[in-house]
Amino acid sequence: MLRFAKTGLLAGMLAASVSTVSYAKTELTMYYPVSVGGPLTKVVDGMVSEFEEKNPDIDVKAIYAGNYNDARIKALAALKSGEPAQLSVMFSIDVHELMDLGTIIPFDEVATTEEDKKWLKSFYGPLMQNGMVDGKTYGVPFQRSTIVMYYNKDLFRKAGLDPEKAPQNWDELVSMGKKLTKDGQWGAMIPSTGYPYWMFGALTKQNGEVLMNQAGNETYFDKDGVVEALEYWKSLGSEHKIMPTGTIEWGTLRQNFLEQKTAMMWHSTGNLTAVKKNATFDFGVAMLPKNKEFGSPTGGGNFYLFKKSTPEERQAALKLVKFMTSPEQAAKWSISTGYMGVSPASYDTPELKAYVKEFPPAAVARDQLEHATAELSTHQAGRVRKLLDDAIQATLSGQSSAKDALSSAQKQAERILKRYK
């Protein structure tokens, strides 16, 4: 009897132990930003909930952290605290800075199976440019964009313009803009707060230039073609009068477009669904106009894996990232937000294929990838971006010439980046 009781007790203890193990969960904390406003946090929460249902052994705490800068600050603060995050969506252009801080690991260290390697190669090439360093993948595309041109077809009709033909080049932007400008209504607006360097990256690419090298230790702010691009931007307000002079706010531009205070705006494709839902007029979406060539930088956020994590947490984080970037989820995200599907396979899903057929503007940002360049990304990224932002704003507000402002920014950037060569 005693022997039986002990055996029964042992069996019960083993059962309890097995039960405990089977219910042990891997907990993940993920920070993420939303830079275009709107109820996108609900979309992320829904995706996370679906992931948890399919993976009951993983708990995900998804924390909305504000804009991209806020997300980076909060995620890095968490790493220094007693409760670090295992992954985060942050600027695709944060990669050099995060590597310099020693906070991230390449996906290649975790994604080691053949299936994982195939997944890493499944994304659009231009979206990978900002996440690849020295042949390793540090950032995986999630909420990604290019800059597109939104235009008011009703205002085009009133001005005697073809509503199906947006400006194709810089000269047409000026000539059409003049026909669209009248009291209380501007022809065009390009935002110069928030992310002015991003808009400028489009103008420089359209003029056949790029702003930095792939290694992130050289900038080209003072090249003639770059200076010409900033002079053109300024001329839209100061000379051609199709745009307000001075700076134009990133955060209120979408509302200005919806209120028909501007006939055209350059903005993230991440605004597309919000414009579609709220516009009371017929609108179109087009690639940005060219000068020497078409062009826009890619933009938006990538997933990163943090170094301070256990092997189990890393595998769980990889599983989450693979789910969030799967063709089905990427299609859902694109339809819900306007951000592009990050892989060709996402556009082959029945849902996104049908959506693009019904609403062709949903494919513009993707199609523009053919002419895309990497977004400005360097070591000491925040300092270097601010130098360029300040030069742009000083020029647009008339405080400096484009040449002087960009030459000064270039000299300061060279001093900052010298030790990274």
Side-chain angles (χ1 to χ4, degrees), residues 53-64:
E53 286 175 15
K54 294 182 177 181
N55 298 273
D57 58 330
I58 303 173
D59 270 346
V60 182
K61 186 179 180 183
I63 301 173
Y64 166 58

Side-chain angles (χ1 to χ4, degrees), residues 336-355:
S336 299
T337 65
Y339 284 108
M340 68 178 71
V342 290
S343 64
S346 64
Y347 286 91
D348 285 335
T349 59
E351 294 81 9
L352 194 49
K353 192 178 286 186
Y355 185 67

Side-chain angles (χ1 to χ4, degrees), residues 246-316:
T247 55
I248 294 171
E249 291 293 326
W250 166 276
T252 56
L253 179 51
R254 184 177 75 197
Q255 194 58 33
N256 283 337
F257 181 70
L258 291 172
E259 292 174 0
Q260 305 193 65
K261 293 177 181 176
T262 180
M264 295 179 277
M265 74 165 178
W266 291 22
H267 221 301
S268 168
T269 188
N271 271 311
L272 180 58
T273 300
V275 171
K276 181 174 182 278
K277 287 179 178 177
N278 294 291
T280 57
F281 49 85
D282 188 14
F283 75 95
V285 179
M287 290 198 301
L288 300 181
K290 67 178 180 178
N291 189 34
K292 293 179 180 176
E293 59 187 273
F294 289 107
S296 168
T298 59
N302 281 348
F303 276 110
Y304 295 94
L305 300 178
F306 291 124
K307 191 176 289 186
K308 283 188 179 179
S309 54
T310 66
E312 293 78 16
E313 288 170 342
R314 291 180 182 183
Q315 286 300 323

Side-chain angles (χ1 to χ4, degrees), residues 53-87:
E53 286 175 15
K54 294 182 177 181
N55 298 273
D57 58 330
I58 303 173
D59 270 346
V60 182
K61 186 179 180 183
I63 301 173
Y64 166 58
N67 63 27
Y68 285 114
N69 290 329
D70 297 333
R72 182 178 67 252
I73 290 167
K74 290 177 183 177
L76 293 178
L79 293 181
K80 294 178 182 177
S81 74
E83 298 181 5
Q86 289 74 38
L87 73 164

Side-chain angles (χ1 to χ4, degrees), residues 183-199:
D183 289 343
Q185 175 187 303
W186 293 99
M189 287 189 184
I190 301 173
S192 47
T193 69
Y195 311 97
Y197 72 89
W198 192 40
M199 295 291 148

Side-chain angles (χ1 to χ4, degrees), residues 149-351:
M149 178 185 289
Y150 298 83
Y151 67 101
N152 187 320
K153 290 186 176 182
D154 288 350
L155 294 182
F156 268 55
R157 291 185 184 97
K158 288 180 183 176
L161 297 169
D162 185 340
E164 302 306 322
K165 289 186 179 177
Q168 291 291 296
N169 56 56
W170 285 6
D171 289 341
E172 287 184 358
L173 180 63
V174 171
S175 62
M176 291 183 180
K178 287 180 177 178
K179 292 180 180 179
L180 291 159
T181 301
K182 58 183 183 181
D183 289 343
Q185 175 187 303
W186 293 99
M189 287 189 184
I190 301 173
S192 47
T193 69
Y195 311 97
Y197 72 89
W198 192 40
M199 295 291 148
F200 189 48
L203 288 157
T204 53
K205 178 67 164 61
Q206 291 155 21
N207 208 34
E209 302 287 356
V210 294
L211 292 171
M212 81 292 170
N213 66 348
Q214 184 70 29
N217 58 15
E218 287 182 8
T219 57
Y220 310 121
F221 299 161
D222 61 350
K223 290 188 71 174
D224 289 346
V226 177
V227 174
E228 287 170 7
L230 185 51
E231 288 172 341
Y232 172 77
W233 189 354
K234 187 189 179 201
S235 77
L236 297 177
S238 62
E239 179 185 342
H240 302 299
K241 312 292 184 185
I242 67 166
M243 195 170 78
T245 56
T247 55
I248 294 171
E249 291 293 326
W250 166 276
T252 56
L253 179 51
R254 184 177 75 197
Q255 194 58 33
N256 283 337
F257 181 70
L258 291 172
E259 292 174 0
Q260 305 193 65
K261 293 177 181 176
T262 180
M264 295 179 277
M265 74 165 178
W266 291 22
H267 221 301
S268 168
T269 188
N271 271 311
L272 180 58
T273 300
V275 171
K276 181 174 182 278
K277 287 179 178 177
N278 294 291
T280 57
F281 49 85
D282 188 14
F283 75 95
V285 179
M287 290 198 301
L288 300 181
K290 67 178 180 178
N291 189 34
K292 293 179 180 176
E293 59 187 273
F294 289 107
S296 168
T298 59
N302 281 348
F303 276 110
Y304 295 94
L305 300 178
F306 291 124
K307 191 176 289 186
K308 283 188 179 179
S309 54
T310 66
E312 293 78 16
E313 288 170 342
R314 291 180 182 183
Q315 286 300 323
L318 177 65
K319 190 176 283 190
L320 175 61
V321 175
K322 288 178 72 173
F323 174 82
M324 299 280 277
T325 59
S326 66
E328 296 75 21
Q329 294 299 321
K332 184 188 299 182
W333 176 250
S334 181
I335 293 166
S336 299
T337 65
Y339 284 108
M340 68 178 71
V342 290
S343 64
S346 64
Y347 286 91
D348 285 335
T349 59
E351 294 81 9

